[in-house]
Amino acid sequence: MRPDTPAEHIAEAERLIRTATRYPEDQEPLLLQAAAHLELADARDRASALYDQLLSASPADPHLIKALQAANLWEYGHEAEARALISGIRTAAPADPAPWEVIAETLEAHDELEASHDCFTEAATLLTSEDTPLTPATTALLTGRHRVRRLLGLPHDEWDMVADTRHVGPIPLDELHDPKRIWALGSDDPAELRAEIARLRAELGDRRAALSRPFPVAILHWPQRELAELLTSYPTLAAEYSSHATHLTAIEASLRALAASGTTNLGIVTGSVPSYEAFAASEKTSPASPSLLAEYATTLAARGKATSWPPGATAPCWCASGKPYAECHGQS
């Protein structure tokens, strides 16, 4: 169930911190999730301490952690420190879109629209080109830039046109980012209010889903050799897996059903018998218990082990057959 109250967010953060202690190799993604929950609980000093802890340990993604720390610090009165971190990130010019988006949105949230626009534009200039296909992450940069340009009253340019083209929501991006929407909130016309509620729901839908699931909904995949070893060691699990081929077919069917129901942020986690046995020991549960399989998959996803689904049509299929996804489990 999605945490809703500050107490629930703190409890989830503490669970993630405990898990990070048990799995130090996955500390970074787990503590980042914990910090996010602490921010949602308004325990920003504790979140800041986690960011500092991560930065002191030579993290894999220091620019993103500094960006998140800057956003958090500014929210609870440490503006000068936040600005210094943002300036340092811009000077470093990271090749990852995520820190750019965080710092640009932080500036936007504090009405630093010109600086936010410059930040989005720097990132777009650095990370997009005619020879580089747009990814969801770089598209998000162009979408954020579009929003800030609308707030500044600037005319559309080529990147705004790209953002409009890539947008797939039910409400056009120009309408979604129209600064005049704010006036509708003070209207006495029920029709205008209903229209504004629909716009806000469309804009916030993805963010609510992300808060509901800080990590992907992931299906557990066993490679053929691992599945054979699992069933030899724990025959009671044979009821869950009649054959490896059936197992693979069931994974694709489950993910397609989830996607059809509107579930986003889907993924696949790959299991191994030693990892599964270690997880069972940590949970003080027998590996032969079928109910442990779903918990194992969720824990792997929480530890950042999920691979996003679906792959691109020409990307290798998730089943490790070596075939392109469109010619393997991606066939209609």
Side-chain angles (χ1 to χ4, degrees):
M1 184 172 67
R2 177 172 66 91
D4 281 317
T5 67
E8 288 172 339
H9 280 296
I10 287 174
E12 180 63 12
E14 290 174 345
R15 184 190 72 80
L16 288 163
I17 291 168
R18 289 194 300 272
T19 304
T21 302
R22 296 208 315 251
Y23 301 101
E25 71 276 16
D26 299 310
Q27 185 177 77
E28 188 168 330
L30 290 166
L31 292 186
L32 283 176
Q33 292 171 38
H37 281 288
L38 290 170
E39 288 189 35
L40 290 168
D42 205 28
R44 293 189 174 276
D45 54 340
R46 291 186 61 187
S48 184
L50 281 185
Y51 292 132
D52 286 338
Q53 178 183 334
L54 283 165
L55 288 170
S56 69
S58 301
D61 201 347
H63 297 303
L64 176 59
I65 297 169
K66 288 178 181 179
L68 294 169
Q69 174 73 300
N72 180 57
L73 286 169
W74 203 327
E75 286 297 324
Y76 80 110
H78 297 272
E79 180 182 337
E81 292 176 60
R83 286 184 181 277
L85 285 168
I86 289 171
S87 177
I89 292 166
R90 292 178 69 173
T91 299
D96 176 15
W100 285 105
E101 185 176 11
V102 172
I103 62 174
E105 289 187 346
T106 299
L107 291 164
E108 178 189 357
H110 293 278
D111 295 324
E112 302 274 346
L113 296 182
E114 293 284 357
S116 176
H117 176 262
D118 291 346
C119 193
F120 274 125
T121 302
E122 284 177 38
T125 302
L126 178 68
L127 302 177
T128 66
S129 70
E130 292 183 0
D131 300 325
T132 306
L134 282 174
T135 65
T138 49
T139 299
L141 288 175
L142 298 185
T143 301
R145 182 177 180 276
H146 181 289
R147 180 180 62 249
V148 172
R149 288 174 65 81
R150 290 284 280 151
L151 291 169
L152 289 168
L154 298 174
H156 268 34
D157 63 8
E158 289 186 10
W159 276 332
D160 289 327
M161 299 294 287
V162 172
D164 283 329
T165 302
R166 299 278 294 193
H167 179 64
V168 295
I171 295 174
L173 206 55
D174 267 346
E175 184 177 352
L176 201 60
H177 292 164
D178 185 354
K180 294 179 181 178
R181 287 188 307 140
I182 191 67
W183 297 105
L185 294 174
S187 172
D188 293 327
D189 185 341
E192 287 187 7
L193 290 172
R194 283 194 294 270
E196 181 58 20
I197 288 169
R199 293 186 188 101
L200 289 171
R201 283 177 174 166
E203 186 172 17
L204 296 176
D206 288 343
R207 293 183 180 270
R208 285 180 59 85
L211 288 177
S212 298
R213 286 192 308 279
F215 46 83
V217 173
I219 303 296
L220 180 59
H221 163 232
W222 294 99
Q224 188 166 10
R225 183 178 297 178
E226 295 291 336
L227 183 60
E229 182 180 343
L230 179 76
L231 298 181
T232 299
S233 301
Y234 309 105
T236 57
L237 297 180
E240 305 294 319
Y241 306 110
S242 58
S243 71
H244 189 251
T246 302
H247 168 53
L248 298 182
T249 300
I251 290 172
E252 182 72 23
S254 296
L255 288 165
R256 291 191 183 200
L258 286 167
S261 71
T263 304
T264 58
N265 196 17
L266 297 171
I268 295 173
V269 289
T270 299
S272 72
V273 174
S275 166
Y276 179 62
E277 290 174 334
F279 174 72
S282 72
E283 296 295 315
K284 298 181 173 60
T285 303
S286 168
S289 173
S291 63
L292 192 65
L293 295 166
E295 295 178 38
Y296 176 55
T298 300
T299 300
L300 288 178
R303 291 168 63 194
K305 300 297 187 183
T307 300
S308 181
W309 180 93
T314 58
C317 188
W318 55 262
C319 73
S321 66
K323 298 178 182 178
Y325 177 63
E327 298 175 16
C328 194
H329 285 91
Q331 296 185 65
S332 300

